Amino acid sequence: MDSSTTTLDLGVAGMTCASCVARVERALKKVPGVTDASVNLATESARVTFAPSEQMEAQIRRAVRNAGYEPRAIEDALEEDLSPWAGFAPVGLGLLLSLPLIVPMFGELAGLHWMLPAWLQFALATPVQFILGARFYRAGWHALKAGTGNMDLLVAIGTSAGWGLSTWLWLVQGHEHLYFEASAVVVTLVLLGKWLEARAKRQTTSAIRALQALRPETAHVLVKGGKEADLPLAEVMTGDQLVVRPGERVPADGVLEQGETQVDEAMLTGEPLPVPKGVGARVTGGSINGEGRFVMRATAVGSESVLAHIIRLVEDAQAGKAPIQRMVDQVSAVFVPVVLVIAAVTLAGWLFAGAGIEPALIHAVAVLVIACPCALGLATPAAIMAGTGVAARQGILIKDAQALELAHRVGTVAFDKTGTLTVGQPRLVAFVAASGSDEAAQLAAAASLQSGSEHPLARAVLAAARERGVAVQAPENVRSVAGRGTEGEVGGRSYLIASLRWLEELGLPLQGWDAQVQRLQGEGATLSALVERSGEALQLRALMAFADEPKPGVAEALAALRQRGLRLVMISGDNRAAAHAMARRLGLREDEVLAEVLPGEKAARVAALREGGHVVAMVGDGVNDAPALAAADVGIAMGTGTDVAMHAAGVTLMRGDVGLVAGALDISHRTVRKIRQNLFWAFAYNVAGIPLAALGYLSPVVAGAAMALSSVSVLTNALLLKKWRPPGSAGVALRSTASLRAGDAPKVPAG
C-alpha cells in the first residue's frame, strides 16, 4: 500500500447477495479520496483504501448508510451472539404463522380438499408479509433509489405480487382458491435460509475468533519489591517483567529470564509437541505454559506481537477478493435487472398464451424468487475464509486471496538454501593457516573483524574463537562488500574476509592451496579466505571452511513435492562444488541447482524461471530473499526468518518445516476446487431454475426452498475444508478456549 494512503476495515450490516456487494463498492468508490474498495459478503465487511483527510471515515460511513446498509465496527461481527439459536425468533414466528396455511396442501395429497377461511388466511399471511418481511421492503427500496436491484427487491416484488393477487381475488372476485400460503411460505423460507446462512458464516470466521481468544485478559506483572500485580493486558508495556504460572497462556512475546518449562505453541505454529524453554529462550504470546512457573520480559505487546501479526494476515486474506470473484461481481451487477426482465417476459408470455392473470403472475413470482443471487455472492468468499482459516490452524498463513488462488497452479518451486533447506547455522569445520603463520593469531584477526556482524558465517567464526579461547578485539573502519565479504582494520593491520569470487576479482591467485580447496569443496564446504592488505599488496593468511546441515525431514519433503510433479530448484550463493554436494545430500539433481548466485541476482533468476508462462513459487527466509519472494508468482516465507521476508511473501509458514510447502499448495488446490464447485452449483441453480419457473414447473414455494437451499449448500460445501490436514501429517487443529482451559497441561494429540 502507498504510504500516502490508509486503510479502513468497516462492518456492513444488511447485505444479502452479490448485488449488494457491487452496490456498496460503487457507493464507496464515489467518495472523493477513496482509491479502492473491496466488499466481502461472507464477512459482511468492507476494506476501503483512501487518502487521509479530515472526516474521511465519517464520509465513508455515511456513504454506506446512504446506500441502504448499516455501517458498524468490524469487531461487532466477531462479538455477535454465538448461541446456536441466535436470531431464530423471526423464523420461528414465520413458521408458526405459515404452518396452518400449508397444512391443507398436505391434506390434498391424501385426497382431502379443504381450505382455511379467506379472512384467516389473510390474517396469518399479512404479518409475515409486512412485519417479518419488512427487511425486504427496506432493502429493496434502497436498491431502487440507487438505481439497482438486489435479492431483497426480487423477494419483495415476488411475494407482494402473490399477496396482492390473493387479496384482490378474495375482496373483488370472491374466489376461494387463494395464494396467501405462497407469499407467506416464501418469506419464511428466505428468512430460514438467511438464518442458516448466518450460522454457517459464523463458522467461517471461527479461525479469527479462535485466534483472538488466545489473548489472556490479564497479566501478572512484577512491580517494585518483587510483588505481582494483575493488570489488564492492554496496560502491559515492553520491558515489563511478567510471571507466567503453570497452565496459563503467555500474555505477550518476550524472553524467558527465570525458570524453565515446556510451552505448547500448537495454536500458533501447528507444531504438535511442546517446546522446551530455558533462560534466554523466546516465548510467544498466546502459547500455553506447561508445568513450570517462569518469569519473562516482554519484548512485543499489542499490535506488535506475533499473534497480532498472525491475526492481521488471516484478516487480510479473508477480507481480500480473489481474481475470480471480480468476474462474479461483474455478472452480479447485471443479474438482477436481467431477472426482472425475464419475470416480465414470463408474465407477458403466459398472458399472451391465454393462461389468465393468476397462473401468469404465479409463474413470474417463481422466477423472481428462484433467481435470487445469494449463493453467487457467497461461493468464493466462503471457500476462501474456510481455506485460509484451516490453513492458519496448521501453521500456514496465507496473506492474500490472490496467492491462495494462484498457488495451485505452481509448477516450479525454488528454494533458498541457507536457513530454508539447511539449519542455517554453519560451523567452522576447518581453519587452515598459511605456512609459517600463527593459526591462533590469524583466527583472532578473523574473529575480531567479524565481531560486529550478524552474518551466519561471522557467527561461526566467533563461535570457533570462543571454543579455542582466542581473544577478540574491536575492529576499526569495517566495511561490508555485498555478496563478497568484509574489510577493516584489526590491531592497526588491514584485513579482508573474502569469498573465492572476490579473491578472483582482486587477482589474488590460490597457488599452493588448490589441493585443500578441491578437497574441502568436494566435501560440500563453503570457503572464505583471510587476506592481509599492505598498501596495494595482498597476502592470503588463512583459508576457512564452513559447513551447514540439512534440516531434518527436508529430503523427504522435497521427494514428496517431486511426486506431485513439481520441478525443484535450489538457489545458493555457494560455489558449484559446495552447492552440488549439499544437493546430493538433499536428493536433488545437478540440473536443479543454481550456484554462485549473488543476493541481488536471486530475483532475476526467479524471473528467468517464470519465462514461458511457468508459475513459480519461491521459498526463503532471509532479508536478501525478499526481492526474490516478491518476484515469484507465489512467495513462501519461513516464519522463523525475518519480518522483511514475511511481508514480501504471499504465504508464511509458521514453522521452519519445508513439508508445509506441500501443505500450502494442497490447501490452495482444494480451496480453488471448492470455489469452482460452489460457482457451478450457484450458477446451476439459476440457469436450471429460471427456465423451469418460467415454464410453470416450479411453484413459488418450491422456488423459495430451492433458493434457500442453494445458499446453505454453498456454505456447507465450503465448510468441508475445515476437515483438511496437510498431506503426510495428522495435523494439529487450533483448539478453542473451551478445550484449553487455564490449568490444562499441554497434550500431544494422539497419532
Side-chain angles (χ1 to χ4, degrees), residues 123-418:
L124 291 170
T126 301
V128 176
Q129 182 68 43
F130 297 105
I131 298 177
L132 300 182
R135 55 175 286 180
F136 303 118
Y137 289 99
R138 285 194 298 267
W141 172 243
H142 284 297
L144 277 178
K145 286 197 299 182
T148 62
N150 60 4
M151 181 208 84
D152 302 286
L153 181 63
L154 297 181
V155 172
I157 293 175
T159 57
S160 296
W163 182 90
L165 174 64
S166 299
T167 304
W168 181 76
L169 290 174
W170 168 43
L171 295 178
V172 178
Q173 301 290 332
H175 283 210
E176 295 183 359
H177 187 72
L178 307 175
Y179 303 96
F180 283 118
E181 80 284 350
S183 59
V185 171
V186 166
V187 169
T188 301
L189 285 174
V190 174
L191 291 175
L192 177 62
K194 302 309 291 182
W195 177 74
L196 292 171
E197 197 177 288
R199 284 191 63 182
K201 282 181 186 177
R202 288 197 290 270
Q203 293 185 56
T204 63
T205 59
S206 61
I208 294 288
R209 298 177 196 273
L211 285 168
Q212 291 186 336
L214 297 181
R215 295 177 171 136
E217 294 182 359
T218 59
H220 313 305
V221 182
L222 284 181
V223 294
K224 291 181 179 179
K227 296 181 179 179
E228 295 181 20
D230 289 350
L231 296 179
L233 189 61
E235 296 181 19
V236 174
M237 297 184 292
T238 302
D240 283 346
Q241 282 190 305
L242 310 176
V243 175
V244 184
R245 299 165 184 164
E248 290 185 336
R249 292 194 181 279
V250 178
D253 299 351
V255 177
L256 195 148
E257 292 190 336
Q258 298 175 27
E260 58 182 30
T261 188
Q262 288 190 329
V263 175
D264 182 356
E265 299 178 335
M267 72 295 297
L268 298 173
T269 67
E271 173 59 54
L273 299 176
V275 181
K277 301 286 184 180
V279 173
R282 292 190 172 276
V283 289
T284 306
S287 54
I288 300 177
N289 184 24
E291 299 179 355
R293 175 187 182 275
F294 65 86
V295 178
M296 60 173 283
R297 187 172 296 277
T299 58
V301 297
S303 62
E304 300 303 317
S305 67
V306 170
L307 179 58
H309 180 64
I310 292 172
I311 291 173
R312 280 198 301 274
L313 284 177
V314 177
E315 286 177 338
D316 287 348
Q318 296 191 346
K321 186 167 288 189
I324 195 172
Q325 179 64 26
R326 301 189 187 281
M327 177 272 290
V328 173
D329 290 347
Q330 291 173 355
V331 172
S332 302
V334 298
F335 192 82
V336 172
V338 169
V339 169
L340 290 172
V341 171
I342 293 174
V345 170
T346 300
L347 177 64
W350 280 97
L351 289 174
F352 182 77
I357 186 64
E358 296 178 36
L361 194 56
I362 290 299
H363 299 328
V365 168
V367 169
L368 291 172
V369 174
I370 193 70
C372 295
C374 315
L376 204 57
L378 291 167
T380 300
I384 287 174
M385 291 177 65
T388 54
V390 72
R393 296 176 183 180
Q394 302 299 333
I396 302 169
L397 299 183
I398 299 170
K399 184 178 176 182
D400 57 62
Q402 184 168 347
L404 181 67
E405 186 176 330
L406 191 59
H408 79 285
R409 294 171 46 202
V410 166
T412 301
V413 184
F415 294 90
D416 169 60
K417 179 179 77 69
T418 304

Side-chain angles (χ1 to χ4, degrees), residues 419-440:
T420 301
L421 298 178
T422 66
V423 175
Q425 297 177 345
R427 296 176 297 110
L428 183 65
V429 295
F431 188 90
V432 184
S435 179
S437 296
D438 182 348
E439 182 176 312

Side-chain angles (χ1 to χ4, degrees), residues 264-622:
D264 182 356
E265 299 178 335
M267 72 295 297
L268 298 173
T269 67
E271 173 59 54
L273 299 176
V275 181
K277 301 286 184 180
V279 173
R282 292 190 172 276
V283 289
T284 306
S287 54
I288 300 177
N289 184 24
E291 299 179 355
R293 175 187 182 275
F294 65 86
V295 178
M296 60 173 283
R297 187 172 296 277
T299 58
V301 297
S303 62
E304 300 303 317
S305 67
V306 170
L307 179 58
H309 180 64
I310 292 172
I311 291 173
R312 280 198 301 274
L313 284 177
V314 177
E315 286 177 338
D316 287 348
Q318 296 191 346
K321 186 167 288 189
I324 195 172
Q325 179 64 26
R326 301 189 187 281
M327 177 272 290
V328 173
D329 290 347
Q330 291 173 355
V331 172
S332 302
V334 298
F335 192 82
V336 172
V338 169
V339 169
L340 290 172
V341 171
I342 293 174
V345 170
T346 300
L347 177 64
W350 280 97
L351 289 174
F352 182 77
I357 186 64
E358 296 178 36
L361 194 56
I362 290 299
H363 299 328
V365 168
V367 169
L368 291 172
V369 174
I370 193 70
C372 295
C374 315
L376 204 57
L378 291 167
T380 300
I384 287 174
M385 291 177 65
T388 54
V390 72
R393 296 176 183 180
Q394 302 299 333
I396 302 169
L397 299 183
I398 299 170
K399 184 178 176 182
D400 57 62
Q402 184 168 347
L404 181 67
E405 186 176 330
L406 191 59
H408 79 285
R409 294 171 46 202
V410 166
T412 301
V413 184
F415 294 90
D416 169 60
K417 179 179 77 69
T418 304
T420 301
L421 298 178
T422 66
V423 175
Q425 297 177 345
R427 296 176 297 110
L428 183 65
V429 295
F431 188 90
V432 184
S435 179
S437 296
D438 182 348
E439 182 176 312
Q442 302 305 331
L443 179 58
S448 298
L449 186 58
Q450 303 266 46
S451 60
S453 174
E454 290 298 318
H455 193 282
L457 299 186
R459 290 199 296 266
V461 173
L462 289 166
R466 283 194 300 270
E467 290 173 3
R468 302 185 192 185
V470 173
V472 175
Q473 57 184 302
E476 297 178 344
N477 302 320
V478 178
R479 184 174 71 91
S480 177
V481 182
R484 288 164 175 79
T486 305
E487 60 179 332
E489 298 175 7
V490 177
R493 304 171 79 170
S494 181
Y495 289 97
L496 286 75
I497 301 287
S499 65
L500 297 191
R501 171 183 287 197
W502 197 12
L503 289 184
E504 185 179 334
E505 293 174 356
L506 293 170
L508 183 61
L510 286 171
Q511 293 175 355
W513 298 82
D514 292 344
Q516 286 142 317
V517 169
Q518 290 179 8
R519 176 179 60 82
L520 292 170
Q521 286 186 339
E523 294 172 357
T526 298
L527 301 184
S528 293
L530 175 67
V531 178
E532 184 176 352
R533 185 199 298 270
S534 180
E536 295 298 321
L538 299 172
Q539 189 169 1
L540 186 57
R541 290 299 187 187
L543 196 65
M544 295 175 285
F546 303 89
D548 198 359
E549 291 295 314
K551 286 182 178 178
V554 165
E556 293 81 357
L558 294 178
L561 288 171
R562 197 191 305 281
Q563 288 179 354
R564 294 174 67 95
L566 297 168
R567 177 193 176 195
L568 307 180
V569 176
M570 183 181 80
I571 302 178
S572 173
D574 290 347
N575 61 77
R576 294 186 184 281
H580 286 158
M582 179 56 72
R584 286 192 293 272
R585 298 181 65 182
L586 296 172
L588 296 173
R589 303 187 303 268
E590 288 192 4
D591 63 340
E592 296 175 326
V593 178
L594 298 177
E596 299 178 0
V597 179
L598 293 176
E601 298 174 350
K602 286 185 179 180
R605 295 299 183 96
V606 170
L609 292 172
R610 295 178 62 195
E611 290 179 358
H614 297 288
V615 180
V616 176
M618 172 69 193
V619 186
D621 74 326

Side-chain angles (χ1 to χ4, degrees), residues 34-58:
V34 170
T35 57
D36 189 36
S38 177
V39 178
N40 189 315
L41 178 62
T43 57
E44 294 188 344
S45 66
R47 170 159 291 185
V48 189
T49 304
F50 57 91
S53 65
E54 189 176 355
Q55 297 185 335
M56 193 63 183
E57 291 191 18

